[in-house]
Amino acid sequence: MTTDFSRAVDLLQAGELVAFPTETVYGLGADAANPQALAKMFAAKGRPADHPVIVHLAGAAYLERWAIDIPPLAWELAEAFWPGPLTLILKRAPQVPYAVTGGQETVGLRVPSHPLALGLLRAYTQAGGGHGNMCGIAAPSANRFGRISPTDAAHVREELGDVVALILDGGSCPVGIESTIIDLSRAADLTPRLLRPGRITPEQIAAVSGVLPELPGAHVGGAPRVSGSLASHYAPQTPVRLVAKEQLPEVLRGLKVQGKRFGLLAHGPLAGLAAPHSLRLLPANAEGYARGVYAALRELDQAGNEVIVVEAVPPESAWAGVADRLRRAACGSGES
Ligand code: TXA
Ligand code: MG
């Protein structure tokens, strides 16, 4: 994949917004060391200012510009999984603007593996890397706050319209759900904490760290440290109902009897099920499913359904990222 990154780099250096594909979802990029650019990014997303944003780097070599007290495990995880869909939460370096950390003393960092993202980061770094030569691009998912993350350039246009100066088009994102987030900012003797499940599983982390990270839900209360941890994040506008495989026939029959227009997002055999108004069938493996899930929800959301029924996914660890996003899509929609 070859792309001329010079326009994108110029725009970022001038404090403008550039959307770009990562292996997970599309990001809405801004110079992470420029508070004005960050303000523009928050406004474009409609995101509250106290929500921290992930800073993207061209390589682990730039970690020390952004973080202090970096524990050995951070370097080990970076070595094992970067470039790739893992975000590390570390203690912020003094020069990191609070706008990027949501006022917190920690900062989220990752090196993405998508060739367009990495190419952009390298070109940006080579060109000086924005304010203070910090070489970080802040990029939340390129959707309006609380909505489904974009996995295609057309989704970004749909979500953000003309407020983005440029959208780099890399087709659809190969992972499809956001990066795994691991908090390493606590005291060195505390277990790393999984803040958001993703493609990289707790077992993969444990293979490097020797210990399973603490899982989400193991801690409660306080302000949301991860905006994706708000219960109703990643939600379509149409109510979403998560239904166990065994209950699907009965639930769909019931909707049919009520005359409801329903969409169905399934991954298993459809024999014996009442026909939905619109159907999206995803692969029955976690990776293939994750790749298609946001586009499928987006389509079902736009197809004039009164409710979207989602066949619940298996309980295995590989599915945890997908299960998490589906739970959030269903939450707060008035459906169970
Ligand atoms: O895969 C991804 O991570 C994508 C792509 C574009 O890289 N980005 C993404 O960004 O999902 P966003 O902003 O939509 O979600 C990032 C999550 C947020 O929920 C935010 O709260 C959390 O990371 N986060 C960022 N910095 C944090 C920090 N210092 N402490 C805790 N959570 C943090
Ligand atoms: Mg997001």
Side-chain angles (χ1 to χ4, degrees):
M1 212 177 296
T2 56
T3 301
D4 178 9
F5 294 112
S6 60
R7 192 160 110 76
V9 168
D10 289 347
L11 287 166
L12 287 170
Q13 303 241 67
E16 296 298 330
L17 307 179
V18 172
F20 59 95
T22 80
E23 69 279 23
T24 58
V25 301
Y26 275 72
L28 177 62
D31 177 352
N34 177 347
Q36 271 112 42
L38 293 167
K40 198 175 283 183
M41 187 261 287
F42 277 89
K45 268 188 75 84
R47 186 181 202 171
D50 62 346
H51 286 271
V53 191
I54 294 173
V55 177
H56 297 67
L57 304 172
Y62 300 94
L63 262 187
E64 282 161 312
R65 296 191 192 190
W66 291 89
I68 52 169
D69 296 345
I70 302 171
L73 179 57
W75 296 110
E76 288 159 24
L77 291 174
E79 174 72 28
F81 299 112
W82 283 354
L86 179 70
T87 295
L88 300 179
I89 306 296
L90 298 168
K91 287 197 187 124
R92 69 180 263 281
Q95 65 272 26
V96 176
Y98 278 119
V100 94
T101 73
Q104 303 182 55
E105 293 306 325
T106 56
V107 60
L109 298 159
R110 91 175 186 98
V111 178
S113 64
H114 193 289
L116 283 189
L118 209 46
L120 174 64
L121 282 158
R122 287 177 179 155
Y124 180 68
T125 299
Q126 230 160 35
H131 275 208
N133 306 113
M134 286 286 282
C135 302
I137 300 180
S141 50
N143 52 279
R144 309 247 340 132
F145 183 65
R147 305 265 303 124
I148 305 170
S149 298
T151 51
D152 211 291
H155 301 163
V156 180
R157 189 58 76 196
E158 226 174 87
E159 288 283 328
L160 298 171
D162 294 335
V163 300
V164 222
L166 175 67
I167 301 173
L168 297 182
D169 189 345
S172 56
C173 301
V175 173
I177 57 169
E178 302 83 352
S179 60
T180 304
I181 303 182
I182 288 283
D183 183 1
L184 299 177
S185 70
R186 305 187 303 160
D189 55 343
L190 288 178
T191 313
R193 192 147 72 180
L194 181 77
L195 295 184
R196 180 172 71 183
R199 161 74 76 89
I200 294 172
T201 62
E203 289 78 9
Q204 284 175 285
I205 305 281
V208 175
S209 68
V211 52
L212 269 180
E214 231 178 69
L215 299 184
H219 51 99
V220 282
R225 283 170 58 84
V226 181
S227 66
S229 72
L230 294 175
S232 67
H233 223 67
Y234 314 112
Q237 266 140 12
T238 315
V240 171
R241 188 163 166 189
L242 261 182
V243 177
K245 181 195 274 314
E246 312 74 60
Q247 276 149 16
L248 266 185
E250 193 188 326
V251 168
L252 297 193
R253 216 177 306 121
L255 289 169
K256 225 20 180 216
V257 169
Q258 292 169 49
K260 280 218 176 186
R261 279 159 76 101
F262 64 92
L264 175 63
L265 178 56
H267 57 277
L270 301 170
L273 295 180
H277 171 249
S278 33
L279 170 70
R280 292 290 276 110
L281 193 57
L282 290 173
N285 65 82
E287 291 188 3
Y289 191 105
R291 200 171 296 134
V293 65
Y294 282 148
L297 284 173
R298 200 171 271 276
E299 281 167 35
L300 291 172
D301 198 23
Q302 293 166 348
N305 293 297
E306 291 168 81
V307 57
I308 300 170
V309 174
V310 178
E311 177 186 1
V313 296
E316 283 90 61
S317 171
W319 287 88
V322 161
D324 170 74
R325 304 315 188 279
L326 292 176
R327 236 180 351 257
R328 291 176 202 291
C331 195
S333 67
E335 300 276 335
S336 54

Short mmCIF file of all heavy atoms in Angstrom, two decimals, residues 14 87 139 230 268 272 324:
data_model
loop_
_atom_site.label_atom_id
_atom_site.label_comp_id
_atom_site.label_asym_id
_atom_site.label_seq_id
_atom_site.Cartn_x
_atom_site.Cartn_y
_atom_site.Cartn_z
N ALA A 14 -0.80 21.50 11.15
CA ALA A 14 -1.51 22.78 11.21
C ALA A 14 -2.68 22.73 12.19
O ALA A 14 -3.49 23.66 12.26
CB ALA A 14 -2.01 23.15 9.81
N THR A 87 -3.44 -1.36 23.69
CA THR A 87 -3.18 -0.03 24.26
C THR A 87 -2.69 -0.20 25.70
O THR A 87 -3.27 -0.96 26.46
CB THR A 87 -4.47 0.82 24.24
OG1 THR A 87 -4.83 1.04 22.88
CG2 THR A 87 -4.28 2.15 24.94
N ALA A 139 -6.00 9.73 18.63
CA ALA A 139 -7.06 9.25 17.74
C ALA A 139 -8.07 8.39 18.46
O ALA A 139 -7.84 7.21 18.71
CB ALA A 139 -6.46 8.48 16.56
N LEU A 230 -18.73 3.10 29.60
CA LEU A 230 -20.11 3.52 29.87
C LEU A 230 -21.01 2.41 29.33
O LEU A 230 -20.79 1.91 28.25
CB LEU A 230 -20.42 4.83 29.14
CG LEU A 230 -19.66 6.07 29.62
CD1 LEU A 230 -19.97 7.25 28.72
CD2 LEU A 230 -20.00 6.38 31.06
N GLY A 268 -25.21 -18.46 13.37
CA GLY A 268 -25.47 -19.90 13.36
C GLY A 268 -26.48 -20.25 12.28
O GLY A 268 -26.93 -19.37 11.55
N GLY A 272 -35.56 -23.08 10.67
CA GLY A 272 -36.59 -23.09 11.71
C GLY A 272 -36.84 -21.73 12.34
O GLY A 272 -37.65 -21.60 13.24
N ASP A 324 -18.50 -8.16 24.71
CA ASP A 324 -18.51 -6.87 25.41
C ASP A 324 -19.21 -5.80 24.56
O ASP A 324 -20.06 -5.06 25.05
CB ASP A 324 -17.05 -6.48 25.69
CG ASP A 324 -16.91 -5.06 26.19
OD1 ASP A 324 -17.26 -4.82 27.36
OD2 ASP A 324 -16.45 -4.19 25.41
#
